[in-house]
């Protein structure tokens, strides 16, 4: 990704698109289970709001407050952004659409988070839409080479990945082929997207899914 433009505009556009997709949600639909185990779509959106409102100092302060229990820190911050209703949760998310505040994470990880969690929300709700291929390609390249935020590099080690809708490719070994988004979601442990992929490496990847 060296030499590429700053990803903040892509992050902001992905946030904006997600907010628009959720703008007509009824209160009942906010309780739909997301692709993140144990979390509703509303809770995942609140988690994305945390990413746009929590700087490094506040992130570390929360970790210390929760005695370095990172899961407890995440749960605490998520609860802070839920609000009193789904509409309130969405309003809080809208307030950080153009924010450049973030926890201590690399920017490609922040772009990946909004794309992956956006799909975690959209897919169970039956919301479909094309994500910009440049943003997807950047995220796919980042995850293929990193285990920093989520175990992805290890999950696809020894496999050859090939996008059918863009330039992303990489790795050596049995082929896993499909849309860039499906490859990203599979790399990050979403088994729901495996049926959208083809190649002799798909079963290998299926065996590496969490749980």
């Amino acid at each position: 990704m060296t030499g590429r433009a700053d990803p903040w505009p892509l992050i902001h556009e992905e946030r904006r698109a997600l907010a628009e997709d959720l703008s007509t949600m009824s209160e009942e639909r906010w309780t739909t289970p997301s692709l993140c185990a144990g979390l509703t779509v509303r809770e995942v959106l609140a988690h994305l709001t945390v990413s746009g409102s929590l700087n490094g100092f506040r992130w570390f302060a929360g970790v210390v407050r929760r005695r370095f229990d990172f899961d407890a820190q995440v749960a605490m911050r998520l609860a802070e952004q839920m609000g009193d209703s789904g509409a309130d949760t969405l309003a809080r998310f809208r307030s950080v659409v153009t924010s450049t505040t973030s926890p201590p994470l690399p920017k490609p990880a922040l772009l990946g988070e909004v794309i992956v969690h956006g799909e975690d929300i959209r897919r169970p709700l039956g919301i479909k839409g094309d994500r910009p291929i440049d943003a997807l390609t950047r995220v796919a390249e980042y995850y293929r080479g990193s285990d920093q935020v989520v175990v992805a590099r290890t999950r696809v080690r020894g496999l050859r990945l090939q996008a059918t809708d863009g330039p992303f490719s990489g790795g050596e070994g049995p082929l896993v082929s499909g849309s860039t988004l499906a490859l990203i979601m599979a790399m990050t442990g979403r088994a729901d997207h495996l049926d959208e992929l083809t190649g002799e490496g798909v079963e290998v990847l299926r065996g590496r899914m969490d749980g």
Side-chain angles (χ1 to χ4, degrees):
M1 292 182 216
T2 302
R4 285 186 172 178
D6 192 313
W8 276 121
L10 294 175
I11 294 168
H12 295 160
E13 183 53 39
E14 285 305 306
R15 290 174 178 166
R16 190 175 294 110
L18 180 58
E20 183 60 29
D21 283 345
L22 302 177
S23 62
T24 60
M25 285 266 287
S26 65
E27 192 61 36
E28 293 75 18
R29 296 193 78 199
W30 283 108
T31 62
T32 302
S34 74
L35 296 188
C36 290
L39 296 181
T40 65
V41 296
R42 181 182 170 196
E43 289 169 326
V44 175
L45 190 68
H47 175 70
L48 286 174
T49 304
V50 172
S51 290
S53 59
L54 190 66
N55 61 26
F57 177 80
R58 290 188 63 228
W59 176 85
F60 185 71
V63 169
V64 172
R65 180 178 172 187
R66 292 301 177 181
R67 299 181 180 182
F68 292 87
D69 184 332
F70 291 94
D71 289 338
Q73 139 86 356
V74 169
M76 176 184 73
R77 296 304 185 187
L78 186 155
E80 290 175 352
Q81 297 298 341
M82 284 287 285
D84 297 324
S85 66
D88 196 4
T89 308
L90 179 58
R92 289 166 183 250
F93 178 68
R94 285 188 184 279
S95 73
V96 302
V97 162
T98 59
S99 171
T100 55
T101 298
S102 72
L105 295 173
K107 291 176 187 176
L110 296 172
L111 178 59
E113 182 176 59
V114 70
I115 286 178
V116 170
H117 284 325
E119 181 71 358
D120 287 337
I121 292 169
R122 288 183 176 101
R123 188 179 178 97
L125 294 171
I127 298 172
K128 296 181 180 180
D130 295 329
R131 312 269 37 89
I133 196 63
D134 180 49
L136 292 176
T137 301
R138 291 191 189 200
V139 170
E141 290 172 353
Y142 170 73
Y143 282 131
R144 190 181 72 83
S146 177
D147 284 334
Q148 182 176 6
V149 178
V150 61
V151 174
R153 180 182 63 185
T154 298
R155 186 174 282 117
V156 298
R157 182 176 294 152
L159 297 174
R160 180 165 62 92
L161 308 179
Q162 179 65 61
T164 56
D165 60 349
F168 172 69
S169 65
E172 296 182 357
L175 176 66
V176 179
S177 180
S179 72
T180 312
L181 180 59
L183 289 170
I184 289 169
M185 298 303 286
M187 276 192 275
T188 56
R190 275 65 174 178
D192 302 68
H193 291 73
L194 288 173
D195 289 342
E196 300 173 16
L197 301 174
T198 60
E200 62 272 25
V202 174
E203 291 309 306
V204 177
L205 188 52
R206 190 184 301 276
R208 296 176 180 176
M209 288 292 157
D210 298 334

